[in-house]
Amino acid sequence: MENNDVNFNNRIDLEGLKQAVINIKSELGKTIIGQENFIDLLLVALLADGHVLIEGVPGVAKTITAKLLAKTIETNFSRIQFTPDLMPSDVLGTSVLNMKTSNFEFKKGPIFSNIVLIDEINRAPAKTQAALFEVMEERQITMDGITYKMNPPFIVLATQNPIEQEGTYALPEAQLDRFLFKIAVGYPSESEEVLILKTHQNRRGVLPQTTISTIIKEEELKQYKERIYEILVEEKLMNYIAQLITKTRNHPHLYLGGSPRASIAVLNASKAVAAINGRDFVIPEDIKKVIVPILRHRLILTPEREMEGLTTDKVIEMIVQSVEVPR
């Protein structure tokens, strides 16, 4: 059986992709201490072409990690700070009258980039949130009847603060569903905290972003993403994904379950996890690695369970334990 796997492994060349991921992690490791799972999931999202919602208290390196990841890839990067008075035109762009030609010309907004970091996404009102619907799903925006396509790669990394509720707006379910992952970034351990202090001390005032080198070019990223499509997923694993998602729809603790978009997200993300690990086929562990961050923002608990303090993460774990793992 082992020999078959070795031969099977040579079907797609994943060595370059695997090495690029190792190099990116080591580059980010110069500045970012701990947060391995966070970085892993960001890389999976990048390869699976998915947007990421990053939730954590202030100061746990949400923004800097997203910025530094963008710096390891040779692409355009833009950052938008969401505020309560931000208008859709501040994000998408606006038509401006050209005095020379007397025609209106479309001036592109900061969303026209490759990796877009939206800081404090829940600070902008519903009108501005809605402006992101089309661009996140279809990679295009329609303005004055004209459609503008985004240049690939296009990925939105959005941060939000879970505890500061004053002046924030809950994201609509339709928008949450457009995020591949919701990553919860926690505090570092005590030993990691010591390393953070040492790294800061040794940096001697040098800004973290100046120490990061570019690892992969845009064309290489495109090739790696194309390899993800070729990763094999056996039918029994597709059935496993379908079972997990279907269970969320008729679970007594849940008011809202996962949509077919969630199933496709699990499929794509688990293929990216397999590729990062140098495998051209998905195993159940790949699915288990991505299922919580894919579902945690898509499920809504029943009011009774929410009042009892149950979390969507806990319900997902219960569902995963209740479904038999294919072997």
Side-chain angles (χ1 to χ4, degrees):
M1 185 68 192
E2 281 298 307
N3 290 339
N4 290 345
D5 276 358
V6 171
N7 298 333
F8 191 60
N9 236 353
N10 298 333
R11 198 177 57 89
I12 312 170
D13 179 19
L14 294 167
E15 203 46 53
L17 186 154
K18 192 180 173 185
Q19 195 53 52
V21 166
I22 291 167
N23 293 347
I24 288 173
K25 283 185 184 177
S26 112
E27 200 63 26
L28 294 178
K30 290 180 186 175
T31 302
I32 309 296
I33 308 299
Q35 309 294 19
E36 282 90 359
N37 191 49
F38 177 23
I39 292 167
D40 282 350
L41 291 174
L42 283 178
L43 290 166
V44 169
L46 191 68
L47 291 167
D49 225 13
H51 310 297
V52 180
L53 182 61
I54 307 158
E55 186 175 86
V57 297
V60 288
K62 301 185 298 293
T63 303
I64 193 72
T65 304
K67 276 178 97 165
L68 297 183
L69 173 70
K71 202 156 188 299
T72 63
I73 301 147
E74 200 179 65
T75 55
N76 292 323
F77 171 78
S78 72
R79 177 176 179 269
I80 314 169
Q81 177 68 50
F82 269 26
T83 56
D85 60 350
L86 195 78
M87 297 300 287
S89 58
D90 297 327
V91 177
L92 304 179
T94 186
S95 294
V96 178
L97 181 65
N98 184 327
M99 301 303 278
K100 287 182 184 171
T101 62
S102 298
N103 290 328
F104 279 96
E105 288 177 2
F106 181 61
K107 190 174 184 301
K108 291 179 175 179
I111 199 76
F112 283 88
S113 191
N114 297 115
I115 296 178
V116 181
L117 173 64
I118 297 177
D119 247 338
E120 296 191 288
I121 190 167
N122 56 343
R123 287 217 165 273
K127 197 177 185 180
T128 308
Q129 301 291 357
L132 296 171
F133 279 26
E134 182 186 13
V135 74
M136 285 178 71
E137 182 63 23
E138 298 171 45
R139 301 320 203 257
Q140 65 178 40
I141 74 154
T142 307
M143 191 66 72
D144 300 327
I146 300 168
T147 299
Y148 300 89
K149 297 275 184 193
M150 311 304 284
N151 291 327
F154 175 71
I155 177 171
V156 171
L157 305 174
T159 70
Q160 71 175 17
N161 176 348
I163 53 152
E164 200 176 331
Q165 295 309 322
E166 201 175 319
T168 63
Y169 303 82
L171 301 187
E173 274 71 39
Q175 187 180 358
L176 286 171
D177 203 30
R178 282 163 166 76
F179 283 103
L180 175 71
F181 291 141
K182 179 181 178 184
I183 305 174
V185 183
Y187 287 117
S189 66
E190 193 176 326
S191 57
E192 285 169 346
E193 193 95 28
V194 173
L195 270 174
I196 289 167
L197 294 170
K198 284 181 179 172
T199 307
H200 183 79
Q201 173 77 351
N202 296 338
R203 210 183 295 132
R204 298 180 187 278
V206 176
L207 290 171
Q209 44 268 54
T210 59
T211 65
I212 299 291
S213 308
T214 301
I215 302 295
I216 55 172
K217 294 184 164 57
E218 208 171 286
E219 190 52 42
E220 287 175 301
L221 178 61
K222 188 181 168 205
Q223 287 168 9
Y224 295 151
K225 282 161 86 167
E226 282 166 4
R227 301 227 173 108
I228 303 297
Y229 300 130
E230 298 175 47
I231 302 292
L232 281 181
V233 185
E234 289 183 27
E235 194 169 333
K236 62 182 181 182
L237 289 176
M238 291 198 191
N239 291 337
Y240 179 55
I241 294 168
Q243 273 182 287
L244 289 168
I245 303 301
T246 309
K247 281 233 172 187
T248 67
R249 295 173 193 160
N250 47 32
H251 198 280
H253 296 344
L254 296 173
Y255 172 68
L256 179 73
S259 67
R261 192 188 271 147
S263 303
I264 294 165
V266 175
L267 180 73
N268 291 341
S270 56
K271 283 160 76 171
V273 173
I276 284 172
N277 287 300
R279 271 184 285 103
D280 65 354
F281 57 96
V282 169
I283 59 172
E285 281 65 31
D286 300 332
I287 295 165
K288 285 181 180 179
K289 183 175 173 68
V290 298
I291 194 86
V292 174
I294 282 174
L295 287 180
R296 63 158 59 109
H297 57 296
R298 290 180 160 96
L299 308 181
I300 298 179
L301 293 165
T302 58
E304 303 80 39
R305 294 293 170 263
E306 199 165 5
M307 283 168 72
E308 287 169 13
L310 192 68
T311 62
T312 51
D313 285 25
K314 193 75 195 147
V315 177
I316 299 162
E317 282 167 29
M318 287 158 66
I319 290 169
V320 169
Q321 283 166 11
S322 73
V323 176
E324 194 183 339
V325 180
R327 288 294 170 205

